[in-house]
Amino acid sequence: MAEEMKVNPQRAKQLAENLQSVVKTIQSSNKAGKNVRLIAVSKLKPATDILALHQPPTSHLHFGENYAQELSEKASLLPRSIRWHFIGALQTNKCKGLAEQIPNLWCVSSVDSAKKADALEKGRANVASSGETGEEKEKLRIMVQVNTSGEENKSGCEPNDTLELCKHIVEKCPDLKLQGLMTIGAIARSQATTAETENEDFMCLRETRDRVVENLGWKQEELELSMGMSGDYEGAIAMGSDEVRIGSTIFGERPARKDAKVVEDVGEAKG
Ligand SMILES: *Cc1c(COP(=O)(O)O)cnc(C)c1O
């Protein structure tokens, strides 16, 4: 539990500085002055790193994880006040468990099929019926991941299939809330992105959003855009992103997946 987790004060200070510097860059890129949510992407990083940023002075709320097992472990160790985002490649057989077992799962950002939406709906519906207080339960937020770059190895639904999937979530999944659209985009385009050059992936996501809201009869601001990572978030914000997902700029380079540890070896850390 949290009290057994020792946050290294030097590491905590470094992480807080990194986060604050990202927050500043977000503010200066954000000419339109809208609210941009920052997800600190903590995949493959130890739980103590997350705890450090969730504590004062930063008291950061939103954290993103890519692997179901790792997210489950971290969620069970860390405070319930954290708002978890599942942003990784989503397997249909993991959906129900995720929605059911992590009460503070705030958003699933990587839904690209009706099957996955249905499985999440099933899991969330179970949470609903088990609530004893009778207060209205919060819906699980969903982002539809769109493959804007047309790369075969990228997950995400085709831009042209996005409306249909969005409609499915709105009409058939009462325990889910369609929150927005998410893209990762092609690395080459990301590397070419500056505050001045418009990234084609971000343009595609924006156009897809415009078509979806028009068809649903929603306002533009009712469907968020999740775009922008460490390498390209300034340009993404300039193009209207509502949410950026930043990992390495905050936490540093990630270890290989096989070397990652949720709980660090205390003996080793003491030296
Ligand atoms: C890992 C990851 C990020 C963060 O990437 P960085 O380049 O480290 O900022 C953002 N979004 C998704 C979907 C990811 O998998």
Side-chain angles (χ1 to χ4, degrees):
M1 293 316 301
E3 64 268 22
E4 293 163 22
M5 263 192 279
K6 286 264 184 294
V7 174
N8 174 322
Q10 243 161 351
R11 174 73 177 155
K13 185 162 174 278
Q14 182 66 60
L15 288 170
E17 280 172 14
N18 295 349
L19 184 90
Q20 279 154 353
S21 131
V22 168
V23 168
K24 257 195 204 140
T25 307
I26 289 174
Q27 283 163 353
S28 61
S29 314
N30 184 7
K31 304 279 189 286
K34 62 161 137 182
N35 279 329
V36 178
R37 184 182 309 115
L38 168 59
I39 302 180
V41 176
S42 45
K43 62 179 172 215
L44 306 177
K45 292 291 176 175
T48 45
D49 275 6
I50 300 168
L51 189 59
L53 288 177
H54 186 56
Q55 288 173 348
T58 42
S59 305
H60 195 71
L61 287 178
H62 294 273
F63 292 88
E65 290 286 336
N66 281 54
Y67 309 104
Q69 177 62 32
E70 185 181 345
L71 171 56
S72 292
E73 278 179 52
K74 286 174 172 172
S76 70
L77 288 169
L78 288 160
R80 277 273 194 112
S81 43
I82 288 176
R83 298 177 180 175
W84 292 110
H85 296 248
F86 187 84
I87 65 172
L90 191 58
Q91 290 169 274
T92 307
N93 63 355
K94 298 279 169 65
C95 286
K96 186 162 167 279
L98 267 180
E100 214 164 43
Q101 289 153 18
I102 302 175
N104 49 332
L105 180 63
W106 200 80
C107 183
V108 178
S109 309
S110 40
V111 174
D112 57 6
S113 74
K115 239 198 226 160
K116 294 176 191 178
D118 290 341
L120 288 164
E121 166 65 29
K122 245 191 203 157
R124 194 66 175 192
N126 288 346
V127 173
S129 49
S130 64
E132 67 283 347
T133 55
E135 63 193 89
E136 206 178 334
K137 129 200 98 167
E138 203 173 61
K139 295 182 181 197
L140 176 59
R141 294 165 193 80
I142 300 292
M143 295 230 173
V144 168
Q145 182 174 354
V146 184
N147 182 352
T148 53
S149 54
E151 293 165 291
E152 273 179 31
N153 60 347
K154 280 265 157 69
S155 17
C157 75
E158 295 299 315
N160 285 335
D161 299 334
T162 304
L163 173 63
E164 197 182 341
L165 177 52
C166 286
K167 271 191 175 155
H168 179 87
I169 294 167
V170 170
E171 289 168 6
K172 304 277 167 55
C173 304
D175 295 287
L176 308 182
K177 175 185 190 294
L178 178 64
Q179 181 85 5
L181 306 182
M182 183 274 253
T183 187
I184 297 175
I187 302 235
R189 290 180 190 162
S190 153
Q191 285 166 347
T193 299
T194 67
E196 286 77 35
T197 59
E198 302 233 301
N199 176 312
E200 282 174 62
D201 288 302
F202 299 161
M203 221 148 29
C204 174
L205 194 69
R206 213 164 55 178
E207 286 163 9
T208 307
R209 189 266 320 267
D210 291 348
R211 261 183 288 142
V212 171
V213 292
E214 187 182 326
N215 271 278
L216 292 176
W218 289 17
K219 296 194 198 95
Q220 208 180 56
E221 59 271 23
E222 289 177 297
L223 198 64
E224 295 181 0
L225 298 173
S226 177
M227 52 191 203
M229 313 186 2
S230 286
D232 55 20
Y233 70 101
E234 300 174 62
I237 292 169
M239 291 183 67
S241 179
D242 297 284
E243 177 182 273
V244 293
R245 310 176 308 269
I246 315 281
S248 43
T249 302
I250 297 171
F251 296 100
E253 291 300 310
R254 285 180 285 272
R257 197 173 166 190
K258 66 173 174 45
D259 299 326
K261 282 190 182 140
V262 168
V263 180
E264 288 170 308
D265 189 332
V266 176
E268 209 172 283
K270 276 181 182 157

